[in-house]
Amino acid sequence: MLIINCPHCGPREESEFACGGEAHIARPLAENSISDAEFADYLFLRDNPKGLFLERWRHSAGCRRWFNIARDTVSHEIIEVYPMGALPRKKDALATHAASWRRDTAAEKAAERAAQKAQKPAQKPAQKPARQKAAAKKAPGKRGGK
Amino acid sequence: MADIMTGDAMLPGRSALAGRAGMNVAAPDGGKTGLRVQEVAHIGKINIRGTKSIAKVIWNHTGCDFPPANNMVSSAGARHIVWLGPDEALLLCEAGMERDLRRKISADLAGQHFAATNVTDALCVLKVEGPDVRAVLAKGCALDLHPGKFGPGQCAQTVLAHAGVTIIATDENCFLLICRTSFAPYTLDWLQDAALEFGFVFQG
């Protein structure tokens, strides 16, 4: 049994938590530029390392909040608990994140491109009002900004 | 039927553990009963979601701090706010007052980002007390229940014998146990079984 240090509730027994699998998997969003095989990497393939692993966990019987954990799959030692959407701070955990095969996949790069694309049209209307219509056409979901 | 649907002075329905009697077990050593359980029937419960920005309105209506400190209960008279998460709390109020209170809070917070939900009938509150209450609860839950670690005013959401519960310490040997209404009979049966060696009394 693990004792997991919930960032909100404090140390609790493992049975109160649910493991959500590998962390830091970026969804390629509506990016159609990648192949089915490359999309399958995102959807189906999960890492199964012997050593440090970054995982998502949820305190399902407590505060019901998600968070990330850096856990050693050999010793079960939890070296860091950190919030969703953030990167770990510990050097070893950060290195694990950078070294993951997933960082080089087409799905991950497509997600990065989509995120950049989503940011651009939102800024354009403010800088160039004349081109507002064109920008809105490109990303209809982002319309409605004042 | 109209009263049931719309009336404020609604008669409370059947409580979760109404009619459960004859469960008492004498302490085997003939001494003091180790665990006494009582249903706190119909106590008002409102689930509140929101950030610090709604604190003033909540304070105006309850006199309690919102949000309470992590794993703590903020109390003022008969009203208590139980911490459930970073932006979530359970407001306990006098029986029968929850509809009115929820409506007033919602009216004062109109236009703001929050949620106030009446969950009175979804949850059942049990008052469990007695000299052996910590020993009984420890049989079914992994929390550290030592008085130094879990004292009056503290609360925790956890599992008690596989049933999700919120445990609130109100005194040295007195707790409020909040479980789902549908889990109330199971929780009561489990408490009775776990307390056989200490003696058990259920006051309906």
mmCIF file of all heavy atoms in Angstrom, chain B residues 1 64 75 91 133 140 158 173 189:
data_model
loop_
_atom_site.group_PDB
_atom_site.id
_atom_site.type_symbol
_atom_site.label_atom_id
_atom_site.label_comp_id
_atom_site.label_asym_id
_atom_site.label_seq_id
_atom_site.Cartn_x
_atom_site.Cartn_y
_atom_site.Cartn_z
ATOM 1 N N MET B 1 -50.373 17.191 -3.073
ATOM 2 C CA MET B 1 -49.252 17.065 -4.004
ATOM 3 C C MET B 1 -48.608 18.415 -4.262
ATOM 4 O O MET B 1 -47.399 18.541 -4.325
ATOM 5 C CB MET B 1 -49.778 16.461 -5.303
ATOM 6 C CG MET B 1 -48.733 15.753 -6.147
ATOM 7 S SD MET B 1 -47.881 14.460 -5.268
ATOM 8 C CE MET B 1 -46.551 14.159 -6.405
ATOM 9 N N CYS B 64 -20.166 31.912 8.929
ATOM 10 C CA CYS B 64 -19.025 30.996 8.847
ATOM 11 C C CYS B 64 -18.059 31.465 7.761
ATOM 12 O O CYS B 64 -18.461 32.085 6.782
ATOM 13 C CB CYS B 64 -19.478 29.579 8.503
ATOM 14 S SG CYS B 64 -20.674 28.908 9.634
ATOM 15 N N SER B 75 -17.658 26.950 12.012
ATOM 16 C CA SER B 75 -18.978 26.877 12.642
ATOM 17 C C SER B 75 -19.413 28.201 13.220
ATOM 18 O O SER B 75 -18.594 28.997 13.676
ATOM 19 C CB SER B 75 -18.970 25.844 13.778
ATOM 20 O OG SER B 75 -18.669 24.576 13.280
ATOM 21 N N LEU B 91 -22.520 23.031 3.370
ATOM 22 C CA LEU B 91 -23.111 23.885 4.398
ATOM 23 C C LEU B 91 -24.191 23.099 5.129
ATOM 24 O O LEU B 91 -25.122 22.574 4.511
ATOM 25 C CB LEU B 91 -23.688 25.143 3.730
ATOM 26 C CG LEU B 91 -24.655 26.028 4.530
ATOM 27 C CD1 LEU B 91 -24.018 26.515 5.815
ATOM 28 C CD2 LEU B 91 -25.077 27.220 3.691
ATOM 29 N N VAL B 133 -15.572 5.107 20.370
ATOM 30 C CA VAL B 133 -15.925 5.500 19.003
ATOM 31 C C VAL B 133 -14.702 5.487 18.078
ATOM 32 O O VAL B 133 -14.778 5.017 16.936
ATOM 33 C CB VAL B 133 -16.643 6.869 18.993
ATOM 34 C CG1 VAL B 133 -15.769 7.970 19.555
ATOM 35 C CG2 VAL B 133 -17.081 7.233 17.588
ATOM 36 N N GLY B 140 -12.620 0.369 10.198
ATOM 37 C CA GLY B 140 -13.053 0.423 8.799
ATOM 38 C C GLY B 140 -12.443 1.542 7.988
ATOM 39 O O GLY B 140 -12.771 1.704 6.822
ATOM 40 N N THR B 158 -13.385 10.189 3.355
ATOM 41 C CA THR B 158 -12.612 8.961 3.235
ATOM 42 C C THR B 158 -13.572 7.796 2.984
ATOM 43 O O THR B 158 -14.740 8.023 2.673
ATOM 44 C CB THR B 158 -11.769 8.741 4.516
ATOM 45 O OG1 THR B 158 -10.968 7.579 4.365
ATOM 46 C CG2 THR B 158 -12.642 8.594 5.744
ATOM 47 N N ASN B 173 -14.740 12.505 21.863
ATOM 48 C CA ASN B 173 -15.300 11.190 21.549
ATOM 49 C C ASN B 173 -16.638 11.291 20.829
ATOM 50 O O ASN B 173 -17.542 10.491 21.064
ATOM 51 C CB ASN B 173 -15.466 10.358 22.830
ATOM 52 C CG ASN B 173 -14.135 9.864 23.340
ATOM 53 O OD1 ASN B 173 -13.260 9.488 22.560
ATOM 54 N ND2 ASN B 173 -13.967 9.883 24.647
ATOM 55 N N ASP B 189 -25.520 -0.880 9.905
ATOM 56 C CA ASP B 189 -25.297 -2.304 10.171
ATOM 57 C C ASP B 189 -23.822 -2.587 10.440
ATOM 58 O O ASP B 189 -23.472 -3.367 11.318
ATOM 59 C CB ASP B 189 -25.766 -3.153 8.974
ATOM 60 C CG ASP B 189 -27.281 -3.203 8.876
ATOM 61 O OD1 ASP B 189 -27.944 -2.908 9.892
ATOM 62 O OD2 ASP B 189 -27.798 -3.524 7.795
#
